[in-house]
Amino acid sequence: MRKYETFSTSADMGIRFKGGDFRELYENALRGLNVLLFGANLRGTAGCAAVPFRFHGDGPENVLVNFLAAVLSQAYQQRKRVAAIRFGQAGRSFLDAKLLVIPCRRPPKIEIKSVTYHNLRLVEAGGLMRAAIVFDV
Amino acid sequence: MARNFEEIAPGRWRLDKNADRAMQADAEVFASRQILQQALDDASIEQVVNVACLPGLVGSSLAMPDIHYGYGFCIGGVAAFPADGGIVLPGGVGYDINCGVRLLASSIPVEEFTAAAESVGYAILQRIPTGLTPRSNYRLNKKEFQRVLFGGAREIIRNFSGAVADLDGIESGGCLPFDSPGVISPKAYERGAPQVGSLGSGNHFIEVQAVEEIYDLPAARVFGLEKSRVAVMIHTGSRGFGHQIASDYIETFRKRNLAGLKLRDPQLVYASISSAEGRNYLQALNAASNFAWANRQLLQEDIAAIFERILRLGWGKLGLRLVYDQAHNIAKFEKHEVAGRTAELLVHRKGATRAFPPGHPDVPEKYREVGQPVLIPGSMGSCSYVLRGTAMGAELTFSSSAHGAGRRLSRHQAVKLAAQSDIRERLRKNGVLVFSLSSQGLKEEIPEAYKNIDDVVAVTVASGISEKVARLRPLLVIKG
């Protein structure tokens, strides 16, 4: 599996992603979601503003769902795309970061309405963490 | 995973609870052999089995003939729990709370509409916000939005336009009790307020149809359907408001569940109906349901105004009237016969519609003799059906029926297939005009992405859970 990839089922769409540590995991989740939303990731962060994101949850699944929900909120309510994350601290149950955002030149390609917990379980094996998230489209 | 379902009656398949140690109840699927195989292939059967593992389930975990893969519950899933001492689960309702269908009948002859169809299509696309998070034309302030949540369709009729008589043709009179604004998050308010009066995207649509075939003339007369007259179908729900409520309460229930019930799917998280979280969710669900009914009421009024302006037939000659409005993602308190006694249950229907039989007190008086209308839209370009509820359905499925054709291809597969032909042109050749702001969205919704609606309806009828009344052929489709 690549660092991140998208998939679709007869129900909806999702992303699979992996990382050697939590920073890489959350970053690849963002990249996968950006591909669904915009078709590709931005190359740099020039012109981005920083928006704080701080979440303490009960585990990585909880952090992922809330983090990606915040990315969606930026895309649809603020009309901004999250180009990258500037990490403060990232761990199993927490993420303290700045989201680097830039106004969307074009609206997202699809309307993702929610991030679901459907079959969401972080799998840790061989020094890598993997997960798959399904979105309600 | 192989599951040995047994066909216990035409179109009715059962998996005994002893097939899986974790099952508390049987799983039953209403399907043809082909539909059942599709459900085994796409793993939606496993979702029916997962629901059968939940505590306190009354009867069986059920799936309707349009079964397909969802998250948590399958689409087409029905599950009932005791109102007293049972559980409620947001995954058994879905994110788009009170996504549903409204059908309008009219006195407009099809030939008169066809000549103006293109103009009507453009006018609807211009007037009604569709697609990605559009802003509504109705700029509601905070107080007005709150009143919509309290009053549902009633509030729209009181303060915008519409006939009070319409309320009789809406499930639950277009309003469920809601009096606790505090159970709704600021984010839900933020997402919802700008979207009242919008269609949305994905598989939401407005469709103008011809009443093509009448199967049950007395019932069709009662419903106000006349052959070769125009009908209008509206499919939409509670938009971002309902989605945010569902997300918020799945999160809340998850936190509460951390003590450790092992769920086969985290999306099946639940709470006791009597708990604070359960009661709050049910209140929030009612608010979202009221939003959706208000939404469909506003769209009806917009469409009526467009018809009047473009067709120039005058209000009397248009004869636009509401046949029925039904929810297909909802949980409702209902009385059903269980083991010879009347029990109050919380019936979850996710991608399934209510279908009360003749004589049921909750069927509008004008329809009580024939039963509740059941609206089953087909995929884009294919026919839709009007059916009616039956006594057999009351016995077998807590008065539930199918809600649509049921997806069988992923969006990715549909887009790939759609690349091989011009969808708009193909449908135009079949007499269907399609309007959409999103060509991507159109590709995702090609007819081949869905099961054959005729097969779904055939099983629905063969199993006895609903009876056919009329078939509607599309003339004009506006996709969200």
Side-chain angles (χ1 to χ4, degrees):
Chain A
M1 188 183 92
R2 297 193 303 215
K3 286 184 186 178
Y4 55 89
E5 58 192 24
T6 63
F7 66 88
S8 60
T9 67
S10 61
D12 283 291
M13 304 180 87
I15 53 173
R16 287 186 203 98
F17 49 97
K18 63 185 182 184
D21 58 31
F22 284 105
R23 289 189 179 207
E24 201 180 346
L25 187 77
Y26 299 143
E27 198 156 57
N28 286 332
L30 169 67
R31 289 178 166 277
L33 180 53
N34 274 338
V35 169
L36 274 184
L37 286 173
F38 302 108
N41 282 281
L42 291 178
R43 294 252 169 105
T45 56
C48 284
V51 173
F53 176 81
R54 199 170 283 151
F55 185 81
H56 277 247
D58 55 60
E61 295 87 357
N62 192 208
V63 174
L64 280 164
V65 167
N66 282 272
F67 165 56
L68 294 178
V71 173
L72 293 179
S73 179
Q74 286 294 324
Y76 296 117
Q77 272 77 61
Q78 308 304 324
R79 303 184 190 213
K80 293 182 176 154
R81 65 185 286 174
V82 178
I85 314 171
R86 189 184 295 150
F87 287 99
Q89 296 192 51
R92 181 169 292 276
S93 306
F94 59 89
L95 177 58
D96 185 351
K98 295 244 185 333
L99 308 182
L100 301 181
V101 302
I102 194 161
C104 296
R105 264 204 231 150
R106 275 186 281 273
K109 288 176 0 175
I110 55 171
E111 185 173 14
I112 295 177
K113 293 154 188 165
S114 298
V115 188
T116 83
Y117 280 97
H118 179 57
N119 284 339
L120 174 57
R121 282 186 184 95
L122 189 74
V123 173
E124 299 179 64
L128 272 181
M129 292 177 280
R130 287 183 175 81
I133 286 186
V134 172
F135 299 105
D136 180 31
V137 176
Chain B
M1 181 185 279
R3 294 287 192 184
N4 292 325
F5 277 80
E6 183 195 348
E7 192 170 21
I8 55 175
R12 186 180 170 203
W13 301 79
R14 176 185 291 158
L15 178 69
D16 190 275
K17 65 182 181 184
N18 295 313
D20 188 315
R21 258 191 337 198
M23 285 172 74
Q24 308 291 312
D26 297 342
E28 282 188 39
V29 179
F30 290 80
S32 62
R33 197 173 287 273
Q34 186 190 25
I35 290 172
L36 180 68
Q37 188 58 52
Q38 283 168 358
L40 285 161
D41 292 342
D42 80 357
S44 45
I45 289 294
E46 289 314 304
Q47 298 186 315
V48 187
V49 171
N50 289 345
V51 171
C53 301
L54 291 170
L57 188 69
V58 176
S60 304
S61 167
L62 301 168
M64 299 299 105
D66 48 348
I67 176 177
H68 62 285
Y69 194 76
Y71 16 85
F73 265 52
C74 68
I75 312 297
V78 178
F81 300 89
D84 185 13
I87 62 173
V88 60
L89 50 162
V93 171
Y95 283 90
D96 193 355
I97 296 169
N98 193 4
C99 188
V101 174
R102 175 174 287 216
L103 179 68
L104 313 175
S106 82
S107 306
I108 307 165
V110 169
E111 330 66 77
E112 272 195 62
F113 177 81
T114 310
E118 197 150 355
S119 302
V120 170
Y122 277 117
I124 292 176
L125 202 61
Q126 277 180 327
R127 168 67 193 168
I128 293 176
T130 61
L132 222 53
T133 55
R135 302 269 151 170
S136 164
N137 298 313
Y138 298 92
R139 305 264 182 242
L140 302 181
N141 61 35
K142 197 173 174 183
K143 235 178 167 176
E144 286 165 335
F145 184 55
Q146 287 264 18
R147 288 208 298 263
V148 165
L149 302 184
F150 291 135
R154 274 178 217 163
E155 182 62 24
I156 301 304
I157 288 169
R158 190 164 35 224
N159 287 306
F160 291 91
S161 63
V164 171
D166 275 355
L167 295 174
D168 204 32
I170 307 174
E171 193 178 317
S172 301
C175 183
L176 288 169
F178 170 67
D179 59 11
S180 311
V183 303
I184 294 166
S185 68
K187 192 147 185 225
Y189 282 114
E190 189 193 322
R191 284 180 76 177
Q195 293 186 336
V196 183
S198 65
L199 183 62
S201 63
N203 64 1
H204 292 167
F205 64 81
I206 293 165
E207 192 169 277
V208 182
Q209 303 157 330
V211 180
E212 182 172 67
E213 189 78 43
I214 302 282
Y215 302 103
D216 182 339
L217 189 55
R221 281 205 177 116
V222 169
F223 291 168
L225 294 170
E226 214 180 314
K227 199 171 172 182
S228 303
R229 302 291 179 188
V230 158
V232 182
M233 207 173 249
I234 303 167
H235 174 220
T236 188
S238 52
R239 310 283 287 106
F241 186 68
H243 278 83
Q244 191 60 47
I245 284 173
S247 296
D248 291 341
Y249 277 93
I250 286 170
E251 196 72 19
T252 302
F253 283 21
R254 270 194 80 254
K255 288 192 164 72
R256 203 181 180 280
N257 197 38
L258 288 175
L261 292 162
K262 282 198 184 289
L263 294 168
R264 286 198 167 193
D265 183 340
Q267 199 72 7
L268 289 176
V269 71
Y270 59 83
S272 163
I273 290 169
S274 59
S275 67
E277 294 86 353
R279 288 197 312 269
N280 288 348
Y281 170 67
L282 287 166
Q283 270 287 284
L285 178 148
N286 286 357
S289 298
N290 294 344
F291 177 112
W293 280 314
N295 203 27
R296 293 197 285 273
Q297 190 68 36
L298 279 170
L299 295 186
Q300 173 182 326
E301 297 311 313
D302 281 343
I303 290 164
I306 288 167
F307 271 45
E308 198 183 6
R309 178 165 58 86
I310 293 183
L311 297 175
R312 297 186 191 198
L313 285 173
W315 200 248
K317 269 195 156 182
L318 281 179
L320 265 177
R321 54 201 178 269
L322 175 59
V323 175
Y324 203 63
D325 180 310
Q326 69 189 24
H328 54 235
N329 278 1
I330 204 160
K332 298 183 86 179
F333 289 104
E334 297 171 356
K335 288 189 166 67
H336 290 275
E337 291 300 302
V338 178
R341 285 156 63 166
T342 304
E344 183 153 13
L345 306 175
L346 183 64
V347 181
H348 297 68
R349 296 186 181 94
K350 181 179 167 183
T353 61
R354 196 185 71 176
F356 280 153
H360 195 285
D362 286 354
V363 175
E365 204 179 320
K366 58 187 175 181
Y367 298 153
R368 208 163 286 159
E369 221 175 282
V370 301
Q372 181 209 304
V374 177
L375 312 173
I376 305 186
S379 59
M380 184 173 64
S382 67
C383 288
S384 301
Y385 285 84
V386 179
L387 297 87
R388 61 189 178 98
T390 61
M392 180 87 100
E395 201 185 304
L396 300 180
T397 63
F398 302 111
S399 292
S400 306
S401 191
H403 87 303
R407 254 199 114 88
R408 64 179 194 92
L409 294 182
S410 71
R411 282 173 173 76
H412 180 73
Q413 288 169 325
V415 169
K416 234 175 152 182
L417 198 59
Q420 296 163 23
S421 69
D422 183 334
I423 304 296
R424 272 181 237 259
E425 192 49 40
R426 185 154 59 106
L427 291 172
R428 187 187 274 270
K429 280 186 181 147
N430 286 337
V432 184
L433 290 181
V434 179
F435 288 78
S436 173
L437 292 178
S438 165
S439 58
Q440 172 81 4
L442 216 54
K443 287 174 190 169
E444 289 173 0
E445 294 297 312
I446 57 166
E448 293 84 351
Y450 288 82
K451 295 190 206 332
N452 185 317
I453 184 65
D454 296 332
D455 293 345
V456 169
V457 168
V459 175
T460 302
V461 169
S463 61
I465 61 178
S466 299
E467 282 179 13
K468 275 197 295 197
V469 173
R471 186 174 74 230
L472 312 171
R473 175 173 55 86
L475 301 169
L476 169 68
V477 181
I478 293 92
K479 291 299 283 185

